[in-house]
Amino acid sequence: MTDPAPPAVAPPAPSPASPARALLPFVLPALLIGVGSSLLLTGVSEAADLLKDVLWETLPDALGVGRWSALWMMTVLTATGIAVGLVVWKVHGHAGPDPATTGLVDPPLPPGVVPGLLLASALALAGGVSLGPENPITAANIALAYWLGRRLAPGSPAQLWVALGAAGTVGALFGTPVAAVLILTESMVSAPRQGPSVEGGRAPTLWDQLFAPLIAAGAGGVTTVLLSAPTFRLPLPALDGPRWPDLVAALVVSAVAATLAMAAVYLFPYVHRVFHLLPHPVLALTLGGVVLGLLGVLGGHLTLFKGLEEMGQLVADPQGHSAGALVLMAVVKLVAVLVACGSGFRGGRIFPSVFAGVALGLAVHALVPEVQPAVAVTCSVLGVLLGVTRMGWVSLFTAAILAPDPGLLPLLCVALLPAWLLVTGRPQMQLNDSGVPLR
């Protein structure tokens, strides 16, 4: 019998007053969970990359077929849909819940679901599906941390292990603990504090509550950096300024990007409903693979996969694509996210949304060369992420690390305001069990 899921995912205070003697016992578990979260992420990513090389290099070269030909893209993505469909149908746990109903940090799944979830995610990553690893890996690490923690320390707060699994994974994904702390801080604002808030006349401070998750996030980030040295930084020209026109451009670009993302958000429940008219997951995912193949043919091979490497290729050759081609890539990528998630592929929406924002930002610069590339790209990413994720801190952080420049941060903080006004209170790209968008 599995333990009941905790009511919220906000990081708890290990003790209401959180003296040092209460915090110290959580140091070692936090370190182990952070390192383990990074190792699981790295292992799944490496396995997916090996299979990706076979599917997109070894096999087409051996068969004499163009790696990015329409025939091969259609073949691989259709086969990926069939393979993931079989995992969802036959493997224990059915690879977890419907991905359209999941967010980045959710209550823990039963540990028996984890192998199928990771297998489905790895197949999608290797096959070119436009989703990232963030949701499945975070769900897997939360499930394992919660299951292990509740057995080793049955009397410990249930939320602690959820927070440690989430923090370790997000730290590993971004190679820094900052994003994890921002995500958990947002959770703490939205979730009520459980239990008494004061003991000995002192309320727990924010750092008391984030102490153990920060250790997990730091351990996860350091481990990932040592193993694979990930980077989100793009080779964009340095910011010249900032100048007054940059402020206007930042406001307009973020609002336009958020509007485009919201159009995708409003389409999401309809796309999901169409695929779920099919009576079987293999049929839905096979159809999803076919549609993703067609989208790949339309948008080009750079619109496949999670988008991290591909956006670097876009920025490295900004003159290689017209403004129209870049806008097409951004739209195709967002539609591909809708199809992938709506048809049942397991994966996250943050990484491909960043690619869509980068493509849109480069299109803005191509149309209006006076808008500096760093301003156009980062503000576009900010707007798209706000619309897709509704996570203000993480959107701001992700945009800022793409082109780390002290002059950009004030612009991004101002650019966030109109975009947030456009997206707040509106539907999210996440559904409840009845297929109704969350708000």
Side-chain angles (χ1 to χ4, degrees):
M1 181 178 296
T2 60
D3 293 322
V9 296
S15 169
S18 299
R21 64 179 179 275
L23 294 174
L24 284 174
F26 296 100
V27 171
L28 181 58
L31 286 171
L32 293 176
I33 289 174
V35 173
S37 297
S38 175
L39 293 177
L40 184 64
L41 169 65
T42 302
V44 172
S45 299
E46 289 293 330
D49 286 342
L50 290 174
L51 180 57
K52 174 184 173 182
D53 291 342
V54 172
L55 293 176
W56 296 99
E57 295 180 10
T58 306
L59 278 179
D61 290 351
L63 296 173
V65 180
R67 294 179 180 180
W68 308 119
S69 65
L71 173 63
W72 192 248
M73 283 193 281
M74 290 293 302
T75 299
V76 174
L77 281 158
T78 302
T80 300
I82 295 171
V84 175
L86 291 172
V87 172
V88 173
W89 178 31
K90 287 294 188 181
V91 174
H92 174 74
H94 306 290
D98 182 352
T101 66
T102 61
L104 181 60
V105 181
D106 287 329
L109 299 172
V113 174
V114 170
L117 177 61
L118 295 179
L119 177 58
S121 175
L123 290 172
L125 289 171
V129 175
S130 291
L131 292 173
E134 59 272 19
N135 284 23
I137 299 295
T138 304
N141 281 326
I142 287 175
L144 295 175
Y146 179 75
W147 176 81
L148 183 61
R150 293 291 283 172
R151 276 151 183 77
L152 294 178
S156 60
Q159 291 179 353
L160 172 66
W161 306 106
V162 177
L164 293 181
T169 309
V170 176
L173 283 165
F174 288 92
T176 170
V178 177
V181 172
L182 294 176
I183 288 175
L184 294 177
T185 303
E186 285 187 308
S187 300
M188 292 170 67
V189 172
S190 61
R193 180 180 293 161
Q194 303 296 317
S197 59
V198 177
E199 177 180 313
R202 185 173 75 87
T205 68
L206 176 64
W207 282 104
D208 287 336
Q209 298 179 68
L210 291 175
F211 178 79
L214 181 59
I215 292 174
V222 169
T223 303
T224 300
V225 168
L226 292 175
L227 290 175
S228 57
T231 179
F232 278 76
R233 183 168 185 170
L234 296 175
L236 292 165
L239 181 68
D240 181 17
R243 305 164 300 187
W244 284 108
D246 295 326
L247 177 60
V248 176
L251 293 169
V252 173
V253 171
S254 66
V256 170
T259 301
L260 177 62
M262 286 308 302
V265 170
Y266 277 106
L267 286 173
F268 185 50
Y270 300 101
V271 174
H272 180 265
R273 196 172 305 152
V274 167
F275 281 103
H276 282 71
L277 291 175
L278 297 173
H280 201 282
V282 176
L283 294 177
L285 282 155
T286 301
L287 178 60
V290 171
V291 176
L292 289 173
L294 292 172
L295 289 170
V297 173
L298 176 63
H301 72 275
L302 290 180
T303 60
L304 302 179
F305 306 103
K306 62 185 178 184
L308 186 59
E309 296 176 7
E310 290 71 23
M311 68 185 186
Q313 295 176 37
L314 273 185
V315 175
D317 184 22
Q319 308 302 323
H321 305 278
S322 66
L326 291 166
V327 171
L328 177 63
M329 287 184 189
V331 172
V332 166
K333 193 67 171 181
L334 286 175
V335 174
V337 172
L338 299 183
V339 172
C341 193
S343 60
F345 285 100
R346 273 50 178 173
R349 301 179 275 275
I350 294 178
F351 281 45
S353 298
V354 173
F355 174 91
V358 170
L360 184 62
L362 291 175
V364 170
H365 172 67
L367 287 170
V368 188
E370 292 78 12
V371 179
Q372 298 192 65
V375 175
V377 168
T378 56
C379 291
S380 180
V381 168
L382 175 66
V384 171
L385 283 179
L386 284 173
V388 171
T389 68
R390 207 62 46 80
M391 301 171 75
W393 281 121
V394 173
S395 301
L396 182 62
F397 169 79
T398 303
I401 64 173
L402 292 177
D405 188 304
L408 273 173
L409 190 56
L411 287 176
L412 289 171
C413 290
V414 174
L416 185 146
L417 302 178
W420 185 256
L421 290 175
L422 285 170
V423 306
T424 186
R426 300 186 185 277
Q428 301 182 32
M429 194 179 281
Q430 185 177 346
L431 311 177
N432 63 21
D433 292 336
S434 301
V436 177
L438 301 180
R439 288 182 180 268

